Structure formats: C-alpha cells, structure tokens
Amino acid sequence: DLPEHVIKIDRLTKRYGDVTAVDRLDLRVRKGEVFGLLGPNGAGKTTTILTLLGLIEPTSGTVRVLGMNPTKEAIKVKQRVGYVPDSVGFYPSMTGRENLRYTARLNGIKDAEDRIADALEQVGLTEAADRRTGGYSRGMLQRLGIADALVKNPQVMILDEPTIAIDPEGVKLVLDLIRRLRDERGMTVLLSSHLLYQVQEVCDRVGIFVRGRLVAVGSVEELSQRLAQGRTVTEIA
Ligand code: ATP
C-alpha cells in the first residue's frame, strides 16, 4: 500500500437482508486525483460512499480514509472529509450565508465568517449569499452544498451525483469548481455519477460499478476506447 492512497477499500461487502448492495469491492483513490464512481442507479455507489463516511458499517471487508477506520473514527473523518449528498437540504427561509453559519456552528467551527465568505466565493455564490435559499435553483443549492463542505477545509471531498438534475450551465460550474479544488488546493475528490459524459472531462480515473461490483477501472480514455470497440460496460470487465 502506498501512502498516496487517500481512500483504500478492500473486499468491501454490504448486504441488506438478501440484497448485496456492494460485493467484494476493491478500490484505491490516490492523493490529488478526481476519481469518478460510475454506474446506474442501484449499483451500490451511495452505499460505498456511506461506508467511507462511517455512516453505515460494512458487512465485511475494510475501509480506510486518510488512514482512518470510518466506523471507529467517524468524528475525525467528518472533520477532514467534505461530503455533499445528492440532494442537499438547507433551510429555505434562511439565506445561503446563514445556512453556512448554522452548519459551521453545528460543526464547532469558530471564526467561520472568513471561511464562509471564501467558500461562497469559490462556488460563485457571493452575490446570491444574502438571498433566501428557497429561491435558489437546484444547481445553486448543489454549489451551496459544496461551499458548506468547504468551510471545514477538508482534505478529501466526496460528492454523490453532483451533476444530477441541474442545467448544463450548472454542470459546467460544478465541474470547473471540482477541477480548481484539485489543481489549486491539491484536494482529492471522489464523485459518483450515472452519466459518464457529464463527468468524464473532470475525472482522472473512473471505476465502473455494476450490481455492487467494480467491473473496470482506468482513465476515461482507456475505458472509452474499450467501449468504442463496441463492448458494453459489463463486457469490459
Ligand atoms: P442510487 O444512485 O439510486 O443511490 P446507488 O448506486 O447509489 O444508486 P445504492 O443506493 O448504494 O446504489 O443501492 C444499492 C442497492 O442496495 C440497491 O439495490 C438498493 O435498493 C439497496 N439498498 C440500499 N440501501 C438499502 C437499505 N437501507 N435497505 C435495503 N436495501 C438497500
């Protein structure tokens, strides 16, 4: 194992009763890369992400994030890993800035004002920051979710379907932002998506997830060559 592996998953299995959501998954995410977890709905992406955050316990296998076991060190993991769920909930009657203040306080972050202003700037919401989030578009809420995660200055960002249900302009803003976090802050990013074309330009590597198994891992070029040869996702395993 290399120290540059920020996320290490070995033979992770998660079962819910008879359903095997994740099936003997091995995965390595390197420091400073954007890794895309690609796969259809129900493939097991969210389950994998939730084990990385310590929110669900594996049935078997091991998971390490920044060398920590998320099940045992959930609080430390939470401090160092930013998580943006696929649907971010904010209080609609509060402004963007007030919402960020609220979570900063919940997370025990003191003197958060500068960090909040910086995070809002990063995601392009400075102008909208003092408007109620009830009037935000889905894309703006998504970016506010990223800002919310950025306030704690995490080393790793995990984004579940960051481009789902947002307009093309919003997708571009989110992808530009992910690229900047990697290039300017050296952040490691794990994102999930069910649409390769939406995220391919930002991912250094992608893993294709089908029915709880990772069937292929490689750069977008490598995998698209294999797909272009007329092979389906399950055949390139
Ligand atoms: P989505 O994009 O829909 O969230 P996903 O790839 O993230 O898809 P998961 O949400 O991880 O997939 O679900 C994987 C499988 O596990 C699915 O068959 C799902 O129905 C099942 N599953 C997930 N959570 C539970 C649960 N709490 N109880 C029972 N089954 C579950």
Side-chain angles (χ1 to χ4, degrees):
D1 277 339
L2 303 166
E4 67 260 30
H5 287 143
V6 165
I7 292 174
K8 295 196 277 191
I9 297 179
D10 288 290
R11 290 186 75 78
L12 171 67
T13 294
K14 178 65 189 179
R15 285 192 211 98
Y16 299 103
D18 290 342
V19 178
T20 302
V22 180
D23 189 10
R24 289 162 289 167
L25 171 73
D26 293 314
L27 177 68
R28 295 281 183 276
V29 178
R30 301 170 190 150
K31 189 173 191 306
E33 79 173 337
V34 177
F35 191 99
L37 217 45
L38 266 294
N41 290 332
K45 305 181 301 289
T46 302
T47 300
T48 302
I49 286 174
L50 295 179
T51 62
L52 290 168
L53 300 164
L55 296 173
I56 60 176
E57 243 180 281
T59 304
S60 61
T62 59
V63 170
R64 292 290 178 272
V65 180
L66 296 162
M68 298 179 281
N69 177 347
T71 311
K72 295 203 171 124
E73 298 173 272
I75 292 171
K76 265 202 220 158
V77 168
K78 194 170 180 230
Q79 285 167 348
R80 293 164 70 185
V81 178
Y83 168 51
V84 188
D86 58 351
S87 169
V88 194
F90 289 108
Y91 292 100
S93 60
M94 288 180 359
T95 68
R97 196 188 308 276
E98 285 164 352
N99 270 285
L100 296 197
R101 275 185 195 137
Y102 179 72
T103 36
R105 205 174 305 137
L106 284 184
N107 288 326
I109 299 172
K110 296 201 180 81
D111 308 316
E113 272 318 292
D114 290 350
R115 290 193 196 199
I116 289 171
D118 175 61
L120 286 164
E121 183 69 33
Q122 284 289 321
V123 304
L125 286 177
T126 300
E127 233 170 89
D130 298 308
R131 300 209 298 262
R132 291 173 175 206
T133 58
Y136 280 22
S137 68
R138 180 88 196 241
M140 289 165 82
L141 288 171
Q142 188 64 29
R143 284 185 284 136
L144 190 63
I146 298 175
D148 194 41
L150 284 177
V151 170
K152 60 186 168 187
N153 198 18
Q155 288 163 269
V156 184
M157 280 287 262
I158 298 181
L159 304 105
D160 200 353
E161 297 272 7
T163 56
I164 202 167
I166 58 178
D167 57 285
E169 180 59 20
V171 171
K172 191 181 172 312
L173 285 168
V174 168
L175 296 183
D176 283 347
L177 172 60
I178 291 172
R179 211 176 281 118
R180 267 191 288 120
L181 294 176
R182 174 193 60 196
D183 295 343
E184 295 170 15
R185 305 204 170 187
M187 226 175 255
T188 305
V189 180
L190 174 69
L191 62 86
S192 79
S193 176
H194 65 280
L195 295 169
L196 175 62
Y197 78 87
Q198 276 197 348
V199 296
Q200 59 184 10
E201 48 175 295
V202 80
C203 295
D204 297 300
R205 290 193 304 143
V206 296
I208 296 180
F209 221 124
V210 182
R211 289 187 295 274
R213 309 203 67 163
L214 207 50
V215 299
V217 179
S219 68
V220 173
E221 294 74 38
E222 284 162 12
L223 295 188
S224 29
Q225 266 177 16
R226 286 149 81 180
L227 288 170
Q229 289 159 359
R231 299 160 80 189
T232 65
V233 159
T234 35
E235 281 168 356
I236 62 177

